[in-house]
Amino acid sequence: MAVEYKDEDLVKRVTDYYVEADEGSTELRAEQKNCQDFAAGRQWYDPINGQDLKKALQAEGKYALTYNVIGARVNQLSGQQRRLRTEPVFMPLAGASLHGAKMLTETLQHVRHGSKAVYLESQMFLDGLVQAFGWMEATIEMADDPFRGEIVLSVLSPKDIWPDPTCRDYDLNRKARFIIKTYQLDKEQAQELYPSKFDELGSLFDSIDKNGKPIEFANDDLYDHVPDGTVIVDVRKKRQLTAVDCWWRVWRTEDRFVDNTELKWFIIGESSDDEAPTVDKEKATLLAKLDPIRYKIISGIVVPLLYKTSLIYGLVVKHDKKPYGGIRNYPIYRFCPNWLDGEALSVVSPAIDPQRELNKRTSLAIYHLGQSAN
């Protein structure tokens, strides 16, 4: 049977994951901010002393010139990706149907065309070049197709994604326990998205004090670890809170009964999935003995179960036990330009010190040249 989780258990689980991801990515996020600044040409800030060196030098009558070689290099690589991009094509495996592979290719192209995937991939590639990670999410939206839904791709900001810091595999679907996405919602948006929590959300947003901290449903651990700007006042003077979507997995061990003739399989005993076909253990054992060629028992299969829990400041607004009908892989995936033993490396990071030296040498040379001319 499917495991039932209480709201307080879900809040604790997501909060623990959030704290772990935050504490495990402090250095990475500081490095991402530094890389983004250098790629954008903001190259005179000293993060160690917290000083704007450009203003300090200008106050002394000295030059603080920026020769943004990093930005030019990033633009070059990004342009090459756009110029040389290709469309993915499915190829049939040995003995498989070419027609089936062609149908898969056409289906994928339909999804990519509808989401303008070529542009999204370029943005994802650029994020990876600069900040070591580019993120994309696949969702199913029902607005245009209320019967089956439509797969929609979107790029996510690296600042809004908090993956399991203990996973050292490039593919998060191998061992990652969770992926957290954060985003901002105002009162009206939150109540539209989660009508079953209409009154609770109204009380939550109305209880925000003058310091921008909600009084009700408070969870200090979660609040202390959410990104800066937990409460944001936008141009319409509406307060926003950080919402959290946590995709998390647990693993179950199953024994399966396989029918090689009908190409069907059944879970032996009780199942964690209420809709999965099951078979009695005694019956499966008997059939496997009577006809071992047709029937087989496979023991100890480790199966991931994926859940999605959405919180708004400690209030569980939705818990989906079978997201998108029961998928088992995360719908969020990443691109890293360099991956070394579990560590993502951006293209910008190793070029920061040479760039800083070039700026300082050039500025100092022009300053001394001006002094000599006078």
Side-chain angles (χ1 to χ4, degrees):
M1 297 176 62
V3 179
E4 296 293 334
Y5 294 93
K6 297 180 180 179
D7 281 3
E8 52 266 32
D9 296 331
L10 293 173
V11 171
K12 184 179 186 308
R13 180 184 287 268
V14 175
T15 302
D16 290 344
Y17 285 159
Y18 209 144
V19 171
E20 181 180 352
D22 180 33
E23 294 178 348
S25 62
T26 302
E27 294 182 3
L28 171 64
R29 293 183 181 274
E31 181 69 15
Q32 287 177 325
K33 176 64 169 61
N34 199 28
C35 289
Q36 188 175 19
D37 286 342
F38 266 79
R42 299 184 292 269
Q43 301 175 356
W44 284 94
Y45 180 76
D46 183 2
I48 298 178
N49 299 316
Q51 182 183 10
D52 189 338
L53 298 178
K54 187 171 186 176
K55 290 184 178 179
L57 289 171
Q58 289 175 342
E60 298 175 4
K62 297 180 180 179
Y63 293 99
L65 304 178
T66 301
Y67 289 85
N68 195 359
V69 178
I70 289 179
R73 180 57 175 162
V74 168
N75 288 338
Q76 180 188 19
L77 293 174
S78 179
Q80 288 180 351
Q81 186 273 333
R82 292 193 297 270
R83 182 170 58 89
L84 301 175
R85 58 193 175 200
T86 58
E87 289 288 339
V89 176
F90 283 92
M91 299 300 294
L93 298 175
S97 168
L98 179 62
H99 176 71
K102 183 179 179 181
M103 292 295 293
L104 289 173
T105 300
E106 292 176 353
T107 301
L108 179 60
Q109 289 177 348
H110 172 77
V111 173
R112 288 171 55 80
H113 177 75
S115 297
K116 296 181 174 57
V118 291
Y119 302 106
L120 300 180
E121 288 172 345
S122 295
Q123 181 61 56
M124 183 184 184
F125 181 79
L126 180 59
D127 288 341
L129 290 180
V130 177
Q131 302 187 62
F133 288 105
W135 295 94
M136 187 177 291
E137 180 182 24
T139 59
I140 298 179
E141 297 185 0
M142 310 299 293
D144 295 330
D145 187 350
F147 299 101
R148 295 169 297 180
E150 182 179 7
I151 300 176
V152 177
L153 305 177
S154 57
V155 172
L156 304 175
S157 170
K159 298 181 181 65
D160 296 334
I161 303 300
W162 308 75
D164 181 356
T166 65
C167 179
R168 304 187 67 82
D169 289 271
Y170 185 89
D171 183 4
L172 290 168
N173 285 301
R174 294 183 61 85
K175 295 181 181 178
R177 296 165 296 156
F178 63 88
I179 301 176
I180 293 175
K181 179 181 77 171
T182 61
Y183 52 99
Q184 276 67 44
L185 292 175
D186 62 27
K187 180 179 177 180
E188 294 177 2
Q189 291 173 316
Q191 290 179 326
E192 286 291 335
L193 286 174
Y194 307 107
S196 63
K197 300 290 183 178
F198 189 93
D199 293 336
E200 293 95 326
L201 287 169
S203 300
L204 175 62
F205 278 88
D206 293 340
S207 68
I208 296 176
D209 62 18
K210 63 181 180 179
N211 297 318
K213 183 174 181 179
I215 299 172
E216 297 188 15
F217 306 106
N219 185 300
D220 290 335
D221 287 340
L222 185 60
Y223 183 86
D224 292 339
H225 287 81
V226 294
D228 293 337
T230 301
V231 178
I232 300 174
V233 180
D234 63 14
V235 294
R236 299 167 297 172
K237 304 302 181 183
K238 292 185 177 181
R239 294 177 181 267
Q240 296 181 329
L241 286 176
T242 298
V244 175
D245 283 348
C246 180
W247 298 85
W248 54 280
R249 295 199 300 181
V250 294
W251 283 262
R252 299 284 185 265
T253 302
E254 298 177 349
D255 295 336
R256 293 184 179 178
F257 175 69
V258 179
D259 185 339
N260 294 314
T261 302
E262 298 290 335
L263 298 180
K264 296 180 180 180
W265 59 269
F266 304 84
I267 297 175
I268 299 177
E270 292 187 351
S271 170
S272 55
D273 185 348
D274 294 333
E275 297 181 6
T278 60
V279 64
D280 182 71
K281 183 177 181 179
E282 294 183 359
K283 180 180 178 180
T285 303
L286 178 60
L287 290 174
K289 289 181 178 180
L290 294 175
D291 192 348
I293 296 179
R294 176 176 178 177
Y295 301 109
K296 181 171 61 174
I297 294 177
I298 304 177
S299 303
I301 298 177
V302 180
V303 179
L305 303 178
L306 181 66
Y307 300 96
K308 180 186 178 184
T309 303
S310 299
L311 301 182
I312 297 181
Y313 198 74
L315 172 67
V316 179
V317 291
K318 187 176 182 180
H319 175 62
D320 198 339
K321 295 180 289 185
K322 297 184 65 176
Y324 300 140
I327 62 173
R328 291 180 174 176
N329 288 335
Y330 295 113
I332 299 175
Y333 53 100
R334 62 188 177 186
F335 162 75
C336 306
N338 299 293
W339 185 262
L340 180 62
D341 191 26
E343 182 179 2
L345 305 174
S346 74
V347 171
V348 172
S349 183
I352 287 180
D353 286 343
Q355 175 70 70
R356 187 178 281 126
E357 180 186 11
L358 174 63
N359 291 342
K360 291 182 177 180
R361 283 181 177 272
T362 305
S363 300
L364 188 60
I366 293 180
Y367 171 75
H368 285 304
L369 181 62
Q371 292 295 101
S372 299
N374 294 331

